[in-house]
Amino acid sequence: MTYGIIGVNNKSNKLFVAKFAKFISRKKPMQFFDTHAHIGLIYDDPIEQLRVIQQAKQAGVTRIISINNSLHDFKTVYSTLKSVSGIYHAVGVAPSEIVNPGRDWINVIEESVKLPNVVAIGETGLDYYKQYGDKRTQIEMFITQLELAQKHNLPVIIHNRDAGKDIFDVLCERIPQSGAIFHCYSEDAVYAQKCLDAGLNVYFSFAGNLTYRNAHNLHETVLNIPLDRVLIETESPFMIPAEFREKKRTMPAYLPSTARFLAEMLEKPLEDVADQLWKNSCKVFKLPE
C-alpha cells in the first residue's frame, strides 16, 4: 500500500524519512549561558546556592559565570562551587573594594587564575557614581587587572558606572588580546559603535533591565550592533526582568526571559538567537560549544 509521495513503500521516501529522523535526533535543546551571576549574593547558604544552580539547569541555563566583587568572596564561593558542572569563575577586585582590595591582592589573582574553571578577570572597572576612593586609584587598579588579563590570556569583565569616557580611553591602550565584556551594559548605541569603530575586541552583555519599557538606550543599542557581539546575563540577584518583577531577587533561571525579549526585539526566532548567544559566550570565555 502506498500514499503517493509519502508512501511507506517508496524507497526514496524511506530514505528521506530516515535522514529527517536523524536530523531531528541531532537537534539539541536550547541552552543559555548566564555570563554574570553573583551566586554568593543570592544566598549565603551553600545548599541554597546549589539549589539555585539546579533550578537554572532545569530552565535550560546550563552554564554560569560566577562573579564576586572581592577576593575574599571569591575564595568562599569558589570553594563551594568548584566541582559543580557548568559553573565557571571570574576573579578580580571590583571598584567597590578599592579602599581594601586585600593583602597582596595582585598575587592572589595570579594564583587564582591557575585554578580549574577560572576563565576571566573581573569584575573590575570604574565606578564614579558612588565615588569609591579616588579616580586615580580606581584607574590604576583597573589597568593592573587589564595587564593581568593580558598576561594570562583571559578576557576581562568590566563594571562601568558613570565612567564610560575613562574606560574607553584606557581600553584603547590596554585592552587584553582576549577581549573585554561590558557587563550589564548601561551606555547607548553611540558608545557601543564608538568601541567597535575603534577596533576594540569587546562584547556587550545585557541584563534583565533590557526588558524594561523605559530602557530606550539599551533597546537602541541591541538593534544597532552585530548580534555576534551580544551576551546576556542575570546580574543575579539584581536587575529582575520585567516578567518576574514581583520577585525579591533575580535568579539565573530567569535568563531565558531576557533572551525571549531580545529575540522579539530583533524579530528573530528564539532558537536562532539563543544559539548565537551561546556561541558568543563560549567564544569569549574560550569554552567548547
Coordinates of all heavy atoms in Angstrom, one line a residue, residues 56-146:
A56 N 18.4 26.6 37.7 CA 18.8 27.2 36.4 C 19.0 26.1 35.3 O 18.5 26.3 34.2 CB 20.1 27.9 36.6
K57 N 19.6 25.0 35.7 CA 19.7 24.0 34.7 C 18.4 23.4 34.2 O 18.2 23.1 33.0 CB 20.6 22.8 35.3 CG 22.0 23.2 35.5 CD 22.9 22.1 36.1 CE 24.3 22.5 36.2 NZ 25.2 21.5 36.7
Q58 N 17.4 23.4 35.1 CA 16.1 22.9 34.7 C 15.4 23.9 33.7 O 14.6 23.5 32.9 CB 15.2 22.7 35.9 CG 15.6 21.6 36.8 CD 14.9 21.5 38.1 OE1 14.2 22.4 38.5 NE2 15.1 20.4 38.9
A59 N 15.9 25.2 33.8 CA 15.3 26.2 32.9 C 16.2 26.3 31.6 O 15.9 27.2 30.8 CB 15.3 27.5 33.6
G60 N 17.2 25.5 31.4 CA 18.0 25.5 30.2 C 19.2 26.3 30.4 O 20.0 26.5 29.4
V61 N 19.5 26.9 31.6 CA 20.7 27.7 31.8 C 21.8 26.8 32.3 O 21.9 26.5 33.5 CB 20.4 28.8 32.8 CG1 21.7 29.7 33.0 CG2 19.2 29.7 32.4
T62 N 22.6 26.3 31.3 CA 23.5 25.2 31.7 C 24.9 25.6 32.0 O 25.7 24.8 32.4 CB 23.5 24.2 30.5 OG1 23.9 24.8 29.3 CG2 22.1 23.5 30.3
R63 N 25.2 26.9 31.7 CA 26.5 27.4 32.1 C 26.3 28.8 32.7 O 25.5 29.6 32.3 CB 27.4 27.6 30.9 CG 28.0 26.2 30.4 CD 28.9 26.4 29.2 NE 29.5 25.1 28.8 CZ 30.2 24.9 27.7 NH1 30.4 25.9 26.9 NH2 30.7 23.7 27.4
I64 N 27.1 29.0 33.8 CA 27.0 30.3 34.5 C 28.5 30.7 34.9 O 29.3 29.9 35.3 CB 26.2 30.1 35.8 CG1 24.8 29.6 35.6 CG2 26.2 31.4 36.6 CD1 24.0 29.2 36.8
I65 N 28.7 32.0 34.7 CA 30.0 32.6 35.2 C 29.7 33.2 36.6 O 28.9 34.1 36.8 CB 30.5 33.7 34.3 CG1 30.8 33.2 32.9 CG2 31.8 34.3 34.9 CD1 31.9 32.2 32.8
S66 N 30.3 32.6 37.6 CA 30.2 33.1 39.0 C 31.1 34.3 39.2 O 32.3 34.2 38.9 CB 30.5 32.0 40.0 OG 30.6 32.4 41.3
I67 N 30.5 35.4 39.7 CA 31.2 36.6 39.9 C 31.2 37.0 41.3 O 30.2 36.8 42.1 CB 30.4 37.8 39.1 CG1 30.4 37.4 37.6 CG2 31.1 39.1 39.3 CD1 31.7 37.5 36.9
N68 N 32.3 37.6 41.8 CA 32.4 38.2 43.1 C 33.1 39.5 43.0 O 33.9 39.8 42.2 CB 33.2 37.3 44.0 CG 32.6 35.9 44.2 OD1 31.7 35.7 45.0 ND2 33.0 34.9 43.4
N69 N 32.8 40.4 43.9 CA 33.4 41.7 44.0 C 34.7 41.7 44.7 O 35.6 42.5 44.4 CB 32.5 42.8 44.7 CG 31.3 43.1 43.8 OD1 31.3 42.9 42.6 ND2 30.2 43.6 44.4
S70 N 34.9 40.8 45.7 CA 36.1 40.8 46.5 C 36.8 39.5 46.3 O 36.2 38.4 46.0 CB 35.8 41.1 47.9 OG 35.2 40.0 48.5
L71 N 38.1 39.4 46.6 CA 38.8 38.2 46.6 C 38.4 37.3 47.8 O 38.5 36.0 47.6 CB 40.3 38.5 46.7 CG 40.9 39.3 45.5 CD1 42.3 39.6 45.6 CD2 40.6 38.5 44.2
H72 N 38.0 37.8 48.9 CA 37.6 37.0 50.0 C 36.3 36.2 49.6 O 36.2 35.0 49.8 CB 37.3 37.9 51.2 CG 36.6 37.1 52.3 ND1 35.3 37.0 52.5 CD2 37.2 36.5 53.4 CE1 35.0 36.3 53.5 NE2 36.1 36.0 54.1
D73 N 35.4 36.9 48.9 CA 34.1 36.3 48.5 C 34.4 35.3 47.4 O 33.8 34.2 47.3 CB 33.1 37.3 48.0 CG 32.6 38.2 49.1 OD1 32.7 37.8 50.3 OD2 32.0 39.2 48.8
F74 N 35.4 35.6 46.5 CA 35.8 34.6 45.5 C 36.2 33.3 46.1 O 35.8 32.2 45.7 CB 36.9 35.1 44.6 CG 37.5 34.1 43.8 CD1 36.9 33.6 42.6 CD2 38.7 33.5 44.1 CE1 37.5 32.6 41.8 CE2 39.3 32.5 43.4 CZ 38.7 32.1 42.2
K75 N 37.1 33.3 47.1 CA 37.6 32.1 47.8 C 36.4 31.3 48.4 O 36.4 30.1 48.3 CB 38.6 32.5 48.9 CG 39.9 33.1 48.3 CD 40.8 33.4 49.5 CE 42.1 34.0 49.0 NZ 43.1 34.3 50.1
T76 N 35.5 32.0 49.0 CA 34.4 31.3 49.7 C 33.5 30.6 48.7 O 33.2 29.4 48.8 CB 33.6 32.3 50.5 OG1 34.4 33.0 51.5 CG2 32.4 31.6 51.2
V77 N 33.1 31.4 47.6 CA 32.1 30.8 46.6 C 32.8 29.8 45.8 O 32.2 28.7 45.5 CB 31.5 31.9 45.8 CG1 30.7 31.4 44.7 CG2 30.7 32.9 46.6
Y78 N 34.1 30.0 45.4 CA 34.8 29.0 44.6 C 34.9 27.7 45.4 O 34.7 26.6 44.8 CB 36.2 29.5 44.2 CG 36.9 28.6 43.3 CD1 36.7 28.6 42.0 CD2 37.8 27.6 43.9 CE1 37.4 27.7 41.1 CE2 38.5 26.7 43.1 CZ 38.3 26.8 41.7 OH 38.9 25.9 40.9
S79 N 35.2 27.8 46.7 CA 35.3 26.6 47.5 C 34.0 25.7 47.4 O 34.0 24.5 47.4 CB 35.6 26.9 48.9 OG 35.7 25.8 49.7
T80 N 32.9 26.4 47.4 CA 31.6 25.7 47.4 C 31.3 25.2 46.0 O 30.8 24.0 45.9 CB 30.5 26.7 47.8 OG1 30.7 27.1 49.1 CG2 29.1 26.0 47.7
L81 N 31.6 25.9 44.9 CA 31.1 25.6 43.6 C 32.1 25.0 42.7 O 31.8 24.7 41.5 CB 30.5 26.8 43.0 CG 29.4 27.5 43.8 CD1 28.9 28.8 43.0 CD2 28.2 26.6 44.1
K82 N 33.4 24.8 43.1 CA 34.4 24.5 42.2 C 34.2 23.2 41.5 O 34.8 22.9 40.4 CB 35.8 24.4 43.0 CG 35.8 23.4 44.1 CD 37.2 23.5 44.8 CE 37.2 22.5 45.9 NZ 38.5 22.6 46.7
S83 N 33.4 22.3 42.0 CA 33.2 21.0 41.4 C 31.9 20.8 40.7 O 31.5 19.8 40.2 CB 33.4 19.8 42.5 OG 34.6 19.9 43.1
V84 N 31.1 21.9 40.7 CA 29.8 21.9 40.1 C 29.9 22.0 38.6 O 30.5 23.0 38.1 CB 28.9 23.0 40.7 CG1 27.5 22.9 40.1 CG2 28.8 22.8 42.2
S85 N 29.3 21.1 37.8 CA 29.4 21.1 36.4 C 28.7 22.4 35.8 O 27.6 22.7 36.3 CB 28.8 19.9 35.7 OG 27.4 19.8 36.0
G86 N 29.3 23.0 34.8 CA 28.6 24.1 34.2 C 28.9 25.4 34.9 O 28.4 26.5 34.4
I87 N 29.6 25.4 36.0 CA 29.9 26.7 36.7 C 31.3 27.1 36.5 O 32.2 26.3 36.7 CB 29.6 26.6 38.2 CG1 28.2 26.1 38.5 CG2 29.9 27.9 38.9 CD1 27.1 27.1 37.9
Y88 N 31.5 28.3 36.0 CA 32.8 28.8 35.7 C 33.0 30.1 36.5 O 32.0 30.6 37.1 CB 33.0 29.1 34.2 CG 32.9 27.8 33.4 CD1 31.6 27.4 32.9 CD2 34.0 27.0 33.1 CE1 31.5 26.2 32.2 CE2 33.9 25.8 32.4 CZ 32.6 25.4 32.0 OH 32.5 24.3 31.3
H89 N 34.2 30.5 36.7 CA 34.5 31.6 37.6 C 35.3 32.7 37.0 O 36.2 32.5 36.2 CB 35.2 31.0 38.8 CG 34.5 29.9 39.5 ND1 33.7 30.1 40.6 CD2 34.5 28.6 39.2 CE1 33.2 28.9 40.9 NE2 33.7 28.0 40.1
A90 N 35.1 33.9 37.5 CA 35.9 35.1 37.3 C 36.5 35.5 38.6 O 35.9 35.4 39.6 CB 35.1 36.2 36.6
V91 N 37.7 36.0 38.6 CA 38.4 36.5 39.8 C 38.9 37.9 39.6 O 39.5 38.2 38.5 CB 39.5 35.5 40.3 CG1 40.6 35.4 39.2 CG2 40.0 36.0 41.6
G92 N 38.7 38.8 40.5 CA 39.1 40.2 40.4 C 38.7 41.0 41.5 O 38.0 40.5 42.5
V93 N 39.0 42.3 41.5 CA 38.7 43.2 42.5 C 37.8 44.3 41.9 O 38.3 45.0 41.0 CB 39.9 43.8 43.2 CG1 39.5 44.8 44.3 CG2 40.8 42.7 43.8
A94 N 36.6 44.5 42.4 CA 35.7 45.5 41.8 C 36.0 46.9 42.4 O 36.7 47.0 43.4 CB 34.3 45.1 42.2
P95 N 35.6 47.9 41.7 CA 35.8 49.3 42.2 C 35.3 49.5 43.7 O 35.9 50.3 44.4 CB 35.0 50.2 41.2 CG 35.0 49.4 40.0 CD 34.8 47.9 40.4
S96 N 34.3 48.8 44.1 CA 33.8 48.9 45.4 C 34.8 48.5 46.5 O 34.6 48.9 47.7 CB 32.5 48.1 45.6 OG 32.7 46.8 45.3
E97 N 35.8 47.8 46.1 CA 36.8 47.3 47.1 C 38.1 48.1 47.0 O 39.1 47.6 47.5 CB 37.1 45.8 46.8 CG 35.8 44.9 46.6 CD 34.9 45.0 47.9 OE1 35.5 44.7 49.0 OE2 33.7 45.3 47.7
I98 N 38.1 49.2 46.4 CA 39.3 50.0 46.1 C 40.0 50.3 47.4 O 41.3 50.4 47.4 CB 39.0 51.2 45.3 CG1 40.3 51.9 44.8 CG2 38.1 52.2 46.1 CD1 41.0 51.1 43.8
V99 N 39.3 50.6 48.5 CA 39.9 51.0 49.7 C 40.6 49.9 50.4 O 41.7 50.0 51.1 CB 38.9 51.7 50.7 CG1 39.5 52.0 52.0 CG2 38.3 52.9 50.0
N100 N 40.1 48.7 50.2 CA 40.6 47.5 50.9 C 40.6 46.3 49.9 O 39.8 45.4 50.1 CB 39.9 47.2 52.2 CG 40.5 46.0 52.9 OD1 41.7 45.7 52.8 ND2 39.7 45.4 53.7
P101 N 41.5 46.2 48.9 CA 41.5 45.2 47.9 C 41.9 43.8 48.5 O 41.7 42.8 47.9 CB 42.4 45.6 46.9 CG 43.3 46.5 47.6 CD 42.5 47.2 48.6
G102 N 42.6 43.9 49.7 CA 43.1 42.6 50.2 C 44.6 42.6 50.2 O 45.2 43.2 49.3
R103 N 45.2 41.9 51.1 CA 46.6 41.8 51.2 C 47.2 41.0 50.0 O 46.7 40.0 49.7 CB 47.0 41.1 52.5 CG 48.5 41.0 52.8 CD 48.7 40.3 54.1 NE 50.2 40.1 54.3 CZ 50.7 39.5 55.4 NH1 49.8 39.0 56.3 NH2 52.0 39.5 55.6
D104 N 48.2 41.6 49.4 CA 48.9 41.0 48.3 C 47.9 40.6 47.2 O 48.0 39.5 46.6 CB 49.7 39.8 48.8 CG 50.8 39.4 47.8 OD1 51.1 40.2 47.0 OD2 51.2 38.2 47.9
W105 N 47.0 41.5 46.9 CA 45.8 41.1 46.0 C 46.3 40.7 44.6 O 45.6 39.9 44.0 CB 44.8 42.3 46.0 CG 45.3 43.6 45.4 CD1 45.9 44.6 46.0 CD2 45.1 43.9 44.0 NE1 46.2 45.6 45.1 CE2 45.7 45.2 43.9 CE3 44.6 43.3 42.8 CZ2 45.8 45.9 42.7 CZ3 44.7 44.0 41.6 CH2 45.2 45.3 41.5
I106 N 47.3 41.3 44.1 CA 47.8 41.0 42.7 C 48.2 39.5 42.7 O 47.9 38.8 41.8 CB 48.9 41.9 42.3 CG1 48.4 43.4 42.2 CG2 49.5 41.5 41.0 CD1 49.5 44.4 41.9
N107 N 49.0 39.1 43.7 CA 49.5 37.8 43.7 C 48.3 36.8 43.9 O 48.3 35.7 43.3 CB 50.5 37.6 44.8 CG 51.1 36.2 44.8 OD1 51.7 35.8 43.9 ND2 50.9 35.5 45.9
V108 N 47.3 37.2 44.7 CA 46.2 36.3 44.9 C 45.4 36.1 43.6 O 45.0 35.0 43.3 CB 45.2 37.0 46.0 CG1 43.9 36.2 46.0 CG2 45.9 37.0 47.3
I109 N 45.3 37.1 42.8 CA 44.6 37.0 41.5 C 45.5 36.0 40.6 O 45.0 35.1 39.9 CB 44.4 38.3 40.8 CG1 43.3 39.1 41.5 CG2 44.0 38.1 39.3 CD1 43.1 40.5 41.0
E110 N 46.8 36.3 40.6 CA 47.7 35.4 39.7 C 47.6 34.0 40.1 O 47.7 33.1 39.3 CB 49.1 36.0 39.8 CG 49.2 37.4 39.3 CD 50.5 37.5 38.4 OE1 50.5 36.9 37.3 OE2 51.4 38.2 38.8
E111 N 47.5 33.7 41.4 CA 47.4 32.3 41.8 C 46.0 31.7 41.5 O 45.9 30.6 41.2 CB 47.7 32.2 43.3 CG 49.2 32.4 43.7 CD 50.1 31.5 43.0 OE1 49.8 30.2 43.0 OE2 51.1 31.9 42.4
S112 N 45.0 32.6 41.6 CA 43.6 32.1 41.4 C 43.3 31.8 40.0 O 42.5 30.9 39.7 CB 42.6 33.2 41.9 OG 42.8 33.4 43.3
V113 N 43.9 32.5 39.0 CA 43.6 32.2 37.6 C 44.2 30.8 37.2 O 43.8 30.3 36.1 CB 44.2 33.3 36.7 CG1 43.5 34.6 37.0 CG2 45.7 33.4 36.8
K114 N 45.0 30.2 38.1 CA 45.5 28.9 37.7 C 44.6 27.8 38.2 O 44.7 26.6 37.8 CB 46.9 28.7 38.5 CG 47.9 29.7 38.1 CD 49.2 29.5 38.9 CE 50.2 30.6 38.6 NZ 51.4 30.4 39.5
L115 N 43.5 28.1 38.9 CA 42.6 27.2 39.4 C 41.7 26.7 38.3 O 41.4 27.4 37.3 CB 41.7 27.8 40.5 CG 42.5 28.2 41.8 CD1 41.5 29.0 42.7 CD2 43.0 27.0 42.5
P116 N 41.2 25.4 38.4 CA 40.3 24.9 37.4 C 39.0 25.8 37.2 O 38.5 26.3 38.2 CB 39.9 23.5 37.9 CG 41.0 23.2 38.8 CD 41.5 24.4 39.4
N117 N 38.6 26.0 35.9 CA 37.4 26.7 35.6 C 37.4 28.2 35.9 O 36.3 28.8 35.9 CB 36.2 26.0 36.2 CG 36.0 24.6 35.7 OD1 36.3 24.3 34.5 ND2 35.5 23.7 36.5
V118 N 38.5 28.7 36.2 CA 38.6 30.2 36.3 C 38.9 30.7 34.8 O 39.9 30.4 34.3 CB 39.7 30.7 37.2 CG1 39.8 32.2 37.2 CG2 39.3 30.2 38.7
V119 N 38.0 31.5 34.3 CA 38.0 31.8 32.8 C 38.1 33.3 32.5 O 38.1 33.7 31.3 CB 36.8 31.1 32.1 CG1 36.9 29.6 32.2 CG2 35.5 31.7 32.7
A120 N 38.1 34.1 33.6 CA 38.1 35.6 33.3 C 38.7 36.3 34.5 O 38.7 35.8 35.6 CB 36.7 36.1 32.9
I121 N 39.1 37.6 34.2 CA 39.4 38.5 35.3 C 38.2 39.4 35.4 O 37.7 40.0 34.5 CB 40.7 39.4 34.9 CG1 41.9 38.5 34.7 CG2 40.9 40.5 35.9 CD1 42.5 37.9 36.0
G122 N 37.8 39.6 36.7 CA 36.7 40.5 36.9 C 35.8 40.1 38.1 O 36.1 39.1 38.7
E123 N 34.9 40.9 38.4 CA 34.7 42.1 37.7 C 35.6 43.2 38.2 O 35.9 43.3 39.3 CB 33.2 42.6 37.7 CG 32.7 43.0 39.1 CD 31.2 43.4 39.0 OE1 31.0 44.6 38.7 OE2 30.4 42.6 39.3
T124 N 36.0 44.0 37.2 CA 36.9 45.2 37.5 C 36.3 46.4 36.7 O 35.3 46.2 36.1 CB 38.3 44.9 37.2 OG1 39.1 46.1 37.5 CG2 38.5 44.6 35.7
G125 N 36.9 47.5 36.8 CA 36.4 48.6 36.0 C 36.4 49.9 36.8 O 37.3 50.1 37.7
L126 N 35.5 50.8 36.5 CA 35.4 52.1 37.2 C 34.0 52.4 37.6 O 33.1 52.1 36.9 CB 36.0 53.2 36.3 CG 37.4 53.0 35.7 CD1 37.7 54.2 34.7 CD2 38.4 53.0 36.8
D127 N 33.9 53.0 38.8 CA 32.6 53.4 39.3 C 32.7 54.8 39.9 O 33.2 55.0 41.0 CB 32.1 52.5 40.3 CG 30.6 52.7 40.7 OD1 30.2 53.8 40.8 OD2 29.9 51.7 40.9
Y128 N 32.2 55.8 39.1 CA 32.3 57.2 39.6 C 31.0 57.6 40.2 O 30.9 58.7 40.8 CB 32.6 58.2 38.4 CG 34.0 57.9 37.8 CD1 34.3 58.5 36.6 CD2 35.0 57.2 38.5 CE1 35.6 58.3 36.0 CE2 36.2 57.0 37.9 CZ 36.5 57.6 36.7 OH 37.8 57.4 36.1
Y129 N 30.0 56.8 40.2 CA 28.7 57.2 40.8 C 28.7 57.2 42.3 O 28.3 58.2 42.9 CB 27.6 56.1 40.3 CG 26.2 56.4 40.9 CD1 25.4 57.4 40.4 CD2 25.8 55.6 41.9 CE1 24.2 57.6 40.9 CE2 24.5 55.8 42.5 CZ 23.7 56.8 42.0 OH 22.5 57.1 42.5
K130 N 29.3 56.2 42.9 CA 29.4 56.1 44.4 C 30.7 56.6 44.9 O 30.9 56.7 46.1 CB 29.1 54.7 44.8 CG 27.7 54.2 44.6 CD 27.4 53.0 45.4 CE 25.9 52.6 45.3 NZ 25.6 51.4 46.0
Q131 N 31.6 57.0 44.0 CA 32.9 57.6 44.3 C 33.7 56.8 45.3 O 34.0 57.2 46.4 CB 32.6 59.0 44.9 CG 32.0 60.0 43.9 CD 31.7 61.4 44.4 OE1 31.7 61.6 45.6 NE2 31.4 62.3 43.6
Y132 N 33.9 55.6 44.9 CA 34.8 54.7 45.7 C 36.2 55.2 45.7 O 36.8 55.2 44.6 CB 34.7 53.2 45.3 CG 33.3 52.6 45.3 CD1 32.6 52.3 44.2 CD2 32.8 52.3 46.6 CE1 31.4 51.7 44.2 CE2 31.5 51.7 46.6 CZ 30.8 51.4 45.5 OH 29.6 50.8 45.5
G133 N 36.8 55.5 46.8 CA 38.2 56.0 46.7 C 38.3 57.2 45.8 O 37.4 58.0 45.7
D134 N 39.4 57.4 45.1 CA 39.6 58.5 44.2 C 39.7 57.9 42.8 O 40.1 56.7 42.6 CB 40.8 59.3 44.5 CG 42.1 58.5 44.5 OD1 42.7 58.4 43.4 OD2 42.5 58.0 45.6
K135 N 39.5 58.7 41.8 CA 39.5 58.2 40.4 C 40.9 57.7 40.0 O 41.0 56.6 39.3 CB 39.1 59.4 39.4 CG 37.7 59.8 39.5 CD 37.3 60.8 38.5 CE 35.9 61.2 38.6 NZ 35.5 62.2 37.6
R136 N 41.9 58.3 40.4 CA 43.3 57.9 40.0 C 43.6 56.5 40.5 O 44.1 55.6 39.8 CB 44.3 58.8 40.5 CG 45.8 58.4 40.2 CD 46.8 59.4 40.7 NE 48.1 59.0 40.4 CZ 49.2 59.7 40.7 NH1 49.1 60.9 41.4 NH2 50.4 59.2 40.5
T137 N 43.2 56.2 41.8 CA 43.4 54.9 42.3 C 42.6 53.8 41.6 O 43.0 52.7 41.4 CB 43.1 54.9 43.9 OG1 43.9 55.9 44.5 CG2 43.5 53.5 44.5
Q138 N 41.3 54.2 41.3 CA 40.5 53.2 40.6 C 41.1 52.9 39.2 O 41.1 51.7 38.8 CB 39.1 53.9 40.4 CG 38.2 53.8 41.6 CD 36.7 54.0 41.2 OE1 36.3 53.5 40.1 NE2 36.0 54.7 42.0
I139 N 41.6 53.9 38.5 CA 42.1 53.7 37.2 C 43.4 52.8 37.3 O 43.6 51.9 36.5 CB 42.4 55.0 36.5 CG1 41.1 55.8 36.2 CG2 43.3 54.8 35.3 CD1 41.3 57.2 35.7
E140 N 44.2 53.1 38.3 CA 45.4 52.3 38.5 C 45.1 50.8 38.7 O 45.7 49.9 38.1 CB 46.3 52.8 39.6 CG 46.9 54.2 39.3 CD 47.6 54.8 40.5 OE1 47.5 54.3 41.6 OE2 48.4 55.8 40.3
M141 N 44.1 50.5 39.6 CA 43.7 49.2 39.8 C 43.1 48.5 38.6 O 43.3 47.3 38.3 CB 42.7 49.1 41.0 CG 42.2 47.7 41.3 SD 41.2 47.6 42.8 CE 42.5 47.7 44.1
F142 N 42.3 49.3 37.8 CA 41.7 48.8 36.6 C 42.8 48.4 35.6 O 42.8 47.3 35.0 CB 40.8 49.9 36.0 CG 40.1 49.5 34.7 CD1 39.7 48.2 34.5 CD2 39.9 50.5 33.8 CE1 39.0 47.9 33.3 CE2 39.3 50.2 32.6 CZ 38.8 48.9 32.3
I143 N 43.8 49.3 35.4 CA 44.9 49.0 34.5 C 45.7 47.7 34.9 O 46.0 46.9 34.1 CB 45.8 50.2 34.4 CG1 45.1 51.3 33.6 CG2 47.1 49.8 33.6 CD1 45.8 52.6 33.5
T144 N 45.9 47.6 36.2 CA 46.7 46.5 36.7 C 45.9 45.2 36.3 O 46.6 44.2 35.9 CB 46.9 46.5 38.2 OG1 47.7 47.7 38.5 CG2 47.6 45.3 38.7
Q145 N 44.6 45.1 36.5 CA 43.9 43.9 36.2 C 43.8 43.7 34.7 O 43.7 42.5 34.2 CB 42.5 44.0 36.8 CG 42.6 43.9 38.4 CD 41.3 44.0 39.1 OE1 40.6 42.9 39.3 NE2 40.9 45.1 39.5
L146 N 43.8 44.7 33.9 CA 43.8 44.5 32.4 C 45.2 43.9 32.0 O 45.2 43.0 31.2 CB 43.7 45.9 31.7 CG 42.3 46.5 31.8 CD1 42.4 47.9 31.1 CD2 41.3 45.7 31.1

